[in-house]
Amino acid sequence: MDRNTHSPFFTETNYVIAGPCSAESREQVLRTAQQIADLKKVQAYRAGVWKPRTRPGGFEGLGAKALPWLQEVQETFRMPVAIEVAQPEHIEAALQHDLAFFWIGARTTANPFSVQEIAEALRGVPCKVLIKNPIHPDLQLWVGAIERILNSNIKQVAAIHRGFYTSTQNTFRNTPLWQIPIELKVLFPELPILCDPSHISGRKDLVFDIAQNALDIGMNGLMIETHTNPSEALSDKAQQITPFELYELLNRLQLKEKASNNPSFNELLAFVRKNIDNIDTELISLLKERMAWVERIAQKKQENHITAFQLERWKEIVETRSQWAGEQSLNPDFIETLFRLIHEEAIRVQINHTAHTDAEKNQSIKKS
Ligand code: PEP
Ligand code: MN
């Protein structure tokens, strides 16, 4: 099969990749593919062949043995098949089975040596590469992996947001820090970004909401783990959905356009944005005024030999501001984060002030 006859992945929006977390048997791989192909809503199939496990002893995938089954899926259902690769040997084995659609997993993206080896192995190979975000919220590491692949002159590249490890526990398996893929989009406006709601949620009942969030912010597609019998899956049981559930989910999703050509909507949008601009101008003026008071306090603390950081005052700021926010139905966590930033800047200004006046004092001592 000619590798270039696959559907044009990177020009399509709302591209859906579905398939099991892992290839488990020929029967499971083909049955799932048949049911997914029957939906007529999915552009590509996925299955993990080599599974990176945090600790040894878990199901590590069937390895090269599963590759002929995936080749069979590709040929039978005319659906490109994506697999995870982490080493040049994986690529070599996959290419022997006409598999040329790869994703780099979160654990591998975090390792520049591995990404570079993969990039070298792919140089000159007509293929498609998806780069998942690294486990930790490190945008530069993600950017670096994308650059390494692009530097190997691979043209069909996309990123996948699969959520991040965060130190605080929450309802997600991997927290969706949407700001990070948004920043990636700013750096690479042409790069398609897909979302993997399965690894973000870790639970099947959250997959729909995350998928909708991804479409709401304009992501280009989804990778959704799908298994004919999730409760029997050898990996990631809790997050896999059946092909029928996938069908329902895809039908329920609301697709979004980047822009509208309805004049009255566009007029309203311009009006609302103007108001937001005015408020932001006021916010900045207020912050300027606040900083002027900080300068004043810095000077007085300096004259009275008082430390810039005052623990009790800091605690009071965090508590009262989030309480005031709650009273006004604003998200207290957001206001707390905002005031942490403002306070950080206030401390920086005060420390600078001290350094400045010390330098001036030294100058005048030298002169006299
Ligand atoms: C996977 O897609 O099966 C996988 C292991 O994903 P991630 O690298 O995002 O954990
Ligand atoms: Mn998985």
Side-chain angles (χ1 to χ4, degrees), residues 21-22 46 51 173 199 225 235-236 239:
C21 177
S22 306
R46 65 148 279 156
K51 303 298 298 174
R173 179 177 177 196
H199 286 91
E225 283 192 343
S235 56
D236 289 352
Q239 70 196 30

Side-chain angles (χ1 to χ4, degrees), residues 20-22 46-48 50-52 84 103-108 132-133 135 160 162-163 173-174 196 199 223 225 235-236 239:
C21 177
S22 306
R46 65 148 279 156
W50 294 280
K51 303 298 298 174
E84 173 169 353
W103 82 82
I104 298 179
R107 292 157 194 80
T108 308
K132 289 198 170 196
N133 62 257
I135 300 218
I160 303 189
R162 50 76 79 196
R173 179 177 177 196
N174 294 292
D196 169 350
H199 286 91
M223 178 189 258
E225 283 192 343
S235 56
D236 289 352
Q239 70 196 30

Side-chain angles (χ1 to χ4, degrees), residues 190-206:
E190 301 300 322
L191 182 78
I193 306 180
L194 314 188
C195 178
D196 169 350
S198 308
H199 286 91
I200 289 177
S201 30
R203 295 175 11 196
K204 63 196 281 177
D205 60 316
L206 296 177

Side-chain angles (χ1 to χ4, degrees), residues 133-138 142 161-166 174-175 177 180:
N133 62 257
I135 300 218
H136 294 93
D138 183 339
W142 200 4
H161 175 220
R162 50 76 79 196
F164 296 90
Y165 171 83
T166 48
N174 294 292
T175 313
L177 302 173
I180 295 185

